[in-house]
Amino acid sequence: PITNSLTPRSRAMLVAPLMSPLISFSSGLAIGRVKMAGRALSTLAIGVGISLLASFLLGVLLPTATITTEMLSRGRPTLVDAGIALASGVVGAYATARKDIPAALAGVAIAAALMPPICTVGLGFAFGEMDLAFGAAILFTTNIICIILAGMGVFLYLGMNLRRFDDVRQSVQIAALTAFFIAAVPVFVLLVQLTKEASQGADVRTEIESVLD
């Protein structure tokens, strides 16, 4: 009964509370609305902080500090995870731009890419597993960047373009876009390195299994 009284956008936010600020941030960068992008970034930071705090407190209150296989899978990100995040961003942005597509669909797609890794970060801190928390943080950051990039691509494809809004000079708009892309570079470099390490680890494991039967 409660969910029936909610709007489609509210249902999507109930599933993925980080969806709206992410999509707003990507559209703000795409069309040059720097102030809107700034507000979305502030909302995103608050949502991330609340998610981290909630998962950390739950980890502290748990009777046993058990690391599950689901948590471990989020602690070892690869380029495959980036591809999944890009697909989620495309779905989220397209569903937001089209009224005939349920917004909850976008919420589910983005929630699957964001909430598990950020909760793993909080639980990793609570359990004292810093390596796990660091790996999940890399995955979460990668997913954030990929969703924003995919959203920008969809909005540009749908006809949006860089315009002057909010009395902000176009140089400021371009500077904001440039800063975002520069910040994304080291994350992707680290992700490529982690992917190579995962591939080498798999090769070593396969060789050991073949030798030792």
Side-chain angles (χ1 to χ4, degrees):
I2 295 177
T3 55
N4 289 337
S5 64
L6 297 175
T7 63
R9 190 70 57 197
S10 299
R11 294 194 196 103
M13 284 297 294
L14 186 64
V15 176
L18 303 181
M19 184 191 78
S20 285
L22 270 179
I23 298 301
S24 297
F25 185 77
S26 61
S27 62
L29 287 182
I31 63 178
R33 300 197 67 168
V34 179
K35 291 184 179 180
M36 184 179 76
R39 291 194 298 268
L41 189 61
S42 299
T43 305
L44 179 64
I46 293 173
V48 170
I50 293 174
S51 301
L52 273 175
L53 180 61
S55 57
F56 176 79
L57 291 177
L58 286 174
V60 171
L61 295 175
L62 287 176
T64 56
T66 304
I67 300 176
T68 65
T69 54
E70 289 294 324
M71 293 172 62
L72 288 175
S73 65
R74 267 80 186 190
R76 295 190 293 265
T78 63
L79 289 173
V80 175
D81 299 298
I84 296 173
L86 283 171
S88 300
V90 170
V91 172
Y94 194 74
T96 302
R98 295 289 300 273
K99 293 183 178 180
D100 55 333
I101 299 178
L105 175 64
V108 172
I110 293 180
L114 292 181
M115 295 314 295
I118 192 62
C119 290
T120 301
V121 174
L123 291 172
F125 281 127
F127 296 165
E129 296 290 339
M130 296 299 105
D131 288 341
L132 176 64
F134 176 75
I138 293 298
L139 174 60
F140 177 75
T141 306
T142 301
N143 288 351
I144 287 282
I145 293 173
C146 288
I147 289 173
I148 292 173
L149 287 175
M152 289 174 59
V154 170
F155 291 133
L156 292 173
Y157 172 78
L158 293 175
M160 297 182 180
N161 50 55
L162 195 64
R163 299 175 183 173
R164 186 175 178 183
F165 287 100
D166 306 323
D167 295 326
V168 175
R169 295 192 304 272
Q170 194 171 56
S171 59
V172 177
Q173 299 171 341
I174 296 174
L177 279 170
T178 304
F180 171 74
F181 283 107
I182 291 176
V185 170
V187 176
F188 281 105
V189 170
L190 182 57
L191 188 65
V192 170
Q193 180 181 350
L194 292 174
T195 302
K196 290 181 179 179
E197 291 177 359
S199 177
Q200 292 170 354
D203 292 340
V204 171
R205 185 165 55 252
T206 301
E207 184 67 19
I208 291 176
E209 289 175 352
S210 65
V211 172
L212 300 180
D213 195 19

